[in-house]
Amino acid sequence: MEGFSSTGYLDMELLRFTTAGSVDDGKSTLIGRLLYDSKSIFDDQYDAVKASSEKRGEEYVNLALLTDGLRAEREQGITIDVAYRYFATPKRKFIIADTPGHIQYTRNMVTGASTANLAIILIDARNGVVEQTCRHAIIASLLRIPHVVVCINKMDLVDYREEVFLQIKGAFEQFAVQLDLPDVRFLPISALHGDNVVEPSTNMDWFEGTPLLSLLESIEISSDLNHADTRFPVQYVIRPQSTEHHDYRGYAGRIAGGTFVPGSAVKVLPSGQTSTIKSIDFYGDSLEEAYPPMSVTFTLEDDIDISRGDMIVGENETPNVSQDVELMVCWLSEKPLALNGKYALRHTTKDVRCVIKEIRYKLNISTLEKRYDDKSVNMNDIACITLRVTKPLVFDSYHRNRATGSLILIDEGTHNTVGAGMIL
């Protein structure tokens, strides 16, 4: 790629975003247009898509074929699985999770959106806000995605009329009042023709905002992480036991919140023992500070029994430490959730076992209605449950910290991930 060096590429900020929309709203076409117009695909890829489009008898190069990788997707013209695509511009790196729009693939959308900084929700300008639009907005709210861009697509099919855009924008805003969506932006686009995707649209000169790619390059994401609560889940204890580093004992992991500096007073949970950070090491260098999402190694002034799954926090900070956890779970398995069932659980770097104590209610993902009468939790359902774990977890609410407030449930027999949880 031209315009930046490999060293600069490694240091560039990464934006993860997900796309969601109803069938035929143009998600795959939009991503294909982004990749093509930003010159992020090779000539042979474009030639293959062009040949495939001609073979299918289509009048134009179908850029959706760049992302619809499964044969079933190409045959049906829909997205089934989560397709990840990577590209970069001179300003930022991107990971796209192209997620399916069907209700039966809710679990796929949750999977793709769980780590996203931003969600693109597509709306067909001819159809306006539909049930699927509401469902995708609700999932974005549940998953605490910090930024949402509502792309009103296929404006070319409504003659690029401003009143159509304003009507759909108003309808979405009216619905979104009941949701927790801190930053919502609206864009009128035509993914097929490229209007307002990478270049400003000459057909919609009434729109004064920036094109989608410029928005993705410039939107502020560094403040999305929790910089207030210091959280460091220990992933690995480093003991080289070499002549050069005979007494070295380091605790490696990825910072999940707050800022750490040498000399900070810290506490190790769940044991509650305290110490002071001696050094913060990173590839042989000592850092003056470390913050999310950096992966570093701490050394402490005191010898403390610390192992994988423990969490280092500020001395005066106490997150939740409990064996009883209440959470919203998206069920991913074809086998229903079992009340009193036993599952393996992974939270940050900690692996424990748990038992499902109560199914409190199931959430109607289209209306936000809490259904207390129906306690059956099947694939794609989202429900509020309580569970008890074999060893105490150190956690925050998902609302406060997505890293320390999320967990997964695992079937001990098949080792499949069966549930994705957001702690309340």
Side-chain angles (χ1 to χ4, degrees), residues 48-118:
V49 168
K50 183 178 180 181
S52 182
S53 301
E54 291 172 352
K55 185 178 178 181
R56 290 154 60 105
E58 295 173 336
E59 298 176 357
Y60 54 87
V61 178
N62 188 349
L63 295 173
L65 298 179
L66 284 168
T67 59
D68 285 342
L70 299 177
R71 178 172 294 179
E73 291 177 336
R74 295 190 177 188
E75 289 173 352
Q76 298 179 49
I78 63 171
T79 300
I80 295 174
D81 203 357
V82 182
Y84 292 96
R85 292 294 179 270
Y86 309 85
F87 75 104
T89 69
K91 296 181 179 179
R92 199 172 248 172
K93 294 182 292 187
F94 302 94
I95 297 179
I96 315 168
D98 182 19
T99 60
H102 296 66
I103 185 170
Q104 65 264 39
Y105 301 122
T106 299
R107 60 175 185 162
N108 304 64
M109 181 183 173
V110 169
T111 302
S114 60
T115 57
N117 306 101
L118 180 146

Side-chain angles (χ1 to χ4, degrees), residues 103-306:
I103 185 170
Q104 65 264 39
Y105 301 122
T106 299
R107 60 175 185 162
N108 304 64
M109 181 183 173
V110 169
T111 302
S114 60
T115 57
N117 306 101
L118 180 146
I120 295 176
I121 298 178
L122 268 83
I123 298 177
D124 189 321
R126 299 168 300 174
N127 302 327
V129 175
V130 295
E131 183 181 340
Q132 285 285 68
T133 310
C134 299
R135 183 179 298 112
H136 295 141
I138 289 170
I139 292 175
S141 174
L142 275 174
L143 292 173
R144 297 289 300 161
I145 299 177
H147 309 281
V148 172
V149 179
V150 180
C151 287
I152 298 164
N153 191 24
K154 304 191 178 182
M155 289 296 294
D156 53 305
L157 300 182
V158 294
D159 301 321
Y160 299 105
R161 298 200 310 273
E162 182 180 11
E163 61 267 25
V164 174
F165 169 72
L166 293 176
Q167 181 182 359
I168 297 173
K169 178 176 180 283
F172 187 94
E173 287 176 328
Q174 186 176 356
F175 169 76
V177 167
Q178 59 186 314
L179 303 179
D180 189 5
L181 296 173
D183 178 26
V184 183
R185 309 177 189 215
F186 297 86
L187 269 177
I189 67 169
S190 169
L192 181 63
H193 299 293
D195 292 275
N196 279 339
V197 178
V198 173
E199 299 295 336
S201 170
T202 56
N203 296 307
M204 292 180 282
D205 50 11
W206 45 263
F207 180 70
E208 298 179 352
T210 59
L212 178 60
L213 183 60
S214 298
L215 181 60
L216 295 175
E217 286 180 326
S218 61
I219 200 160
E220 177 62 42
I221 61 171
S222 60
S223 59
D224 296 340
L225 297 167
N226 184 322
H227 292 282
D229 305 317
T230 48
R231 303 286 186 265
F232 183 75
V234 176
Q235 185 173 351
Y236 189 70
V237 179
I238 298 176
R239 291 294 309 278
Q241 295 182 330
S242 62
T243 304
E244 185 181 358
H245 304 285
H246 183 72
D247 295 320
Y248 187 91
R249 183 192 292 267
Y251 307 102
R254 187 182 190 189
I255 297 173
T259 301
F260 291 88
V261 297
S264 295
V266 294
K267 179 166 53 181
V268 180
L269 295 174
S271 70
Q273 298 181 83
T274 58
S275 185
T276 304
I277 295 179
K278 184 177 181 181
S279 68
I280 302 174
D281 300 333
F282 179 77
Y283 280 104
D285 294 329
S286 292
L287 303 180
E288 292 304 312
E289 67 173 3
Y291 44 83
M294 294 172 65
S295 295
V296 295
T297 301
F298 289 171
T299 63
L300 302 181
E301 294 286 1
D302 304 283
D303 281 337
I304 298 177
D305 182 15
I306 301 176

Side-chain angles (χ1 to χ4, degrees), residues 20-70:
S22 300
V23 180
D24 296 330
D25 277 353
K27 298 186 303 299
S28 298
T29 302
L30 173 62
I31 293 172
R33 173 63 64 183
L34 266 176
L35 295 174
Y36 177 66
D37 284 4
S38 63
K39 299 178 174 56
S40 298
I41 60 170
F42 296 109
D43 289 341
D44 60 339
Q45 289 176 291
Y46 179 78
D47 292 340
V49 168
K50 183 178 180 181
S52 182
S53 301
E54 291 172 352
K55 185 178 178 181
R56 290 154 60 105
E58 295 173 336
E59 298 176 357
Y60 54 87
V61 178
N62 188 349
L63 295 173
L65 298 179
L66 284 168
T67 59
D68 285 342
L70 299 177

